[in-house]
Amino acid sequence: MMEKVNERLWNSNYWKVMISNFLLFFAFYILTPLLPIYLDAQFSADKHMIGIVLSGYVVATLLVRPFSGFIVDTFNRKTVLMICFFSFFIFFAGYIGAGTLLMFAIFRTLHGLPFGAATVANSTVAIDVLPSSRRNEGIGYYGLSNNLAMAIAPSIGIWIYSSTERFDFLFWLAFVLAFLGFLSSTTVKLPHRPKVPGKPKLSLDHFFLTKAWLMAVNICLFALCWGVMSNYVAIYGQECLGITDGTGLFFMILSAGLFAARLFGTKALRRGKLTQSCTIGVILSSIGYLLFALMWGQWSYYLSALFVGLGNGQMYPAMLNMFIKVARHDQRGTANSSILIAWDLGMGLGILLGGFLVQYINYQAAFWATAIAQIGGSILFVLVTKYFFMKRRLFD
């Protein structure tokens, strides 16, 4: 009887981790679309300065990823999670108290540190509380919590601001939501994690999962495509297609695709069909990016969002499972941080590449480069990476 209870996917600890993750992302992304407006209205910052201020947290997040994986694997995960989550929630008070642009920039940049660390810690804890027989599908469902938060939080934030025109109310709301997420994380009970005998001393593998280097290259390619599209889709739709109010619909369709793929793709993950699931995902994404580059009209614009959402929603949880399968049990934090490092790096390269191509050639060049990178990454996965994974996997 006890074995059946332990094999339940939706156990109380898993629910608590899901709620914590949802509140973490919701608190963060409810402010994201409004911060440029706030910086302009409050500090009269120009576009260049706004970009510098808001990009600081990305750099901080990327820097903290490798160390957060090492810390999560080395110290008590519950303690690490609570410290990271508490720091994440308390930084929202800095937004409220920042009286100058410099102070706001400092708090925004430093906020990336606990955000990056908390996402790694929380996802690693989610893996720990899942029964081993349900881990594949559990990881797939886990992503729904942040997908849902990222899909609805920006719209809710915009609606609240349009109704109240009060940024301070939004900052306090984010502060309270993050605090509730912290409270939820404090109630999670983790199974005992015994020390691994013969664990190697400090090495590169503590900071990055070197066994998964080719998978990281593949993820970096896919993230590059996401970085180009997500950052330039709005201005492209407005300037080239005359779509002035359809960007919200684009991202709603994209989020719906992500949500549907994660919801219905867990069956394949439960059966251990990781490489098959990932293959389907990268092919769907390739179709989406190709439709975006061809841009035959508004129908192609919106249909591309659906395919990219479905593809990435199928690909990412499968790849995360693959990273975890090639890592030892004491390297789960490193596996989590490694895939996030690869994704963040790809996103950053995509933003830079997209900006360069748009500035010196045109939008079409940027989006065709994206389609080619996605198709190239898909071919790399099908012909090389999936066999690379099969040779290195440690667990079924």
Side-chain angles (χ1 to χ4, degrees):
M1 186 72 176
M2 192 67 185
E3 185 177 344
K4 289 183 180 179
V5 172
N6 290 336
E7 293 303 302
R8 285 176 55 209
L9 172 60
W10 297 99
N11 60 70
S12 61
N13 288 311
Y14 184 57
W15 271 112
K16 291 170 186 176
V17 174
M18 289 273 283
I19 291 168
S20 297
N21 193 53
F22 174 81
L23 290 170
L24 184 148
F25 277 88
F26 195 98
F28 197 78
Y29 281 95
I30 196 172
L31 301 178
T32 300
L34 294 163
L35 289 180
I37 301 172
Y38 174 74
L39 294 176
D40 177 44
Q42 186 73 13
F43 304 113
S44 300
D46 58 31
K47 290 182 179 179
H48 178 65
M49 184 56 65
I50 289 171
I52 292 173
V53 172
L54 297 184
S55 63
Y57 93 91
V58 179
V59 177
T61 300
L62 183 58
L63 288 174
V64 80
R65 296 287 196 199
F67 302 101
S68 55
F70 168 70
I71 291 168
V72 165
D73 284 335
T74 305
F75 301 101
N76 182 281
R77 283 178 182 158
K78 172 77 175 289
T79 303
V80 171
L81 175 61
M82 288 193 296
I83 292 172
C84 293
F85 220 123
F86 180 82
S87 302
F88 170 76
F89 119 74
I90 208 69
F91 262 99
F92 282 106
Y95 293 3
I96 299 166
T100 65
L101 182 62
L102 177 61
M103 286 300 297
F104 189 93
I106 291 171
F107 279 114
R108 179 64 177 175
T109 299
L110 292 178
H111 204 180
L113 298 175
F115 177 74
T119 51
V120 172
N122 207 63
S123 57
T124 307
V125 167
I127 296 167
D128 283 346
V129 301
L130 284 166
S132 58
S133 63
R134 311 293 298 275
R135 190 165 288 144
N136 290 349
E137 64 177 309
I139 291 170
Y141 281 127
Y142 175 79
L144 289 175
S145 56
N146 50 276
N147 284 155
L148 181 61
M150 292 167 68
I152 64 175
S155 299
I156 291 175
I158 292 169
W159 177 78
I160 291 173
Y161 175 70
S162 64
S163 301
T164 64
E165 295 189 355
R166 288 182 55 189
F167 287 108
D168 60 332
F169 178 79
L170 281 164
F171 291 148
W172 278 112
L173 179 61
F175 180 83
V176 171
L177 290 171
F179 177 68
L180 293 175
F182 165 70
L183 286 182
S184 178
S185 71
T186 63
T187 62
V188 176
K189 294 180 180 178
L190 292 180
H192 174 66
R193 184 163 58 102
K195 290 186 177 180
V196 178
K199 184 176 179 178
K201 294 181 179 179
L202 195 65
S203 66
L204 177 62
D205 224 30
H206 287 300
F207 301 98
F208 185 83
L209 196 63
T210 53
K211 285 178 64 179
W213 70 267
L214 185 57
M215 291 148 61
V217 170
N218 234 154
I219 278 288
C220 192
L221 273 173
F222 297 144
L224 182 149
C225 303
W226 187 274
V228 174
M229 186 201 69
S230 62
N231 279 273
Y232 298 101
V233 62
I235 193 167
Y236 175 73
Q238 184 175 344
E239 293 185 4
C240 299
L241 296 177
I243 302 173
T244 57
D245 57 352
T247 306
L249 179 59
F250 182 93
F251 282 106
M252 281 180 64
I253 295 172
L254 185 72
S255 299
L258 283 168
F259 198 85
R262 284 185 178 265
L263 193 60
F264 297 109
T266 52
K267 190 174 181 180
L269 295 179
R270 187 189 314 161
R271 295 174 178 173
K273 296 182 177 180
L274 303 182
T275 56
Q276 298 94 320
S277 184
C278 194
T279 299
I280 293 169
V282 299
I283 291 172
L284 287 172
S285 290
S286 296
I287 294 170
Y289 285 113
L290 191 58
L291 279 170
F292 197 83
L294 289 168
M295 201 54 67
W296 286 322
Q298 290 193 16
W299 68 269
S300 176
Y301 177 81
Y302 292 118
L303 189 60
S304 67
L306 179 63
F307 274 99
V308 171
L310 288 170
N312 276 272
Q314 189 94 344
M315 175 276 296
Y316 192 88
M319 284 292 277
L320 177 54
N321 270 295
M322 289 164 63
F323 269 78
I324 292 165
K325 296 292 184 187
V326 302
R328 301 188 307 268
H329 287 313
D330 62 309
Q331 290 181 305
R332 287 174 182 168
T334 306
N336 270 294
S337 64
S338 296
I339 191 172
L340 289 169
I341 290 167
W343 185 267
D344 289 342
L345 181 60
M347 280 277 289
L349 291 173
I351 293 169
L352 292 174
L353 175 65
F356 177 83
L357 292 174
V358 167
Q359 179 71 32
Y360 294 103
I361 308 179
N362 54 34
Y363 286 107
Q364 286 301 104
F367 297 139
W368 272 110
T370 301
I372 291 168
Q374 175 66 37
I375 293 169
S378 301
I379 293 171
L380 175 66
F381 178 81
V382 172
L383 297 183
V384 183
T385 306
K386 72 175 184 180
Y387 300 107
F388 174 92
F389 160 70
M390 290 174 183
K391 288 179 182 178
R392 287 161 176 76
R393 70 183 298 169
L394 299 176
F395 314 104
D396 292 329

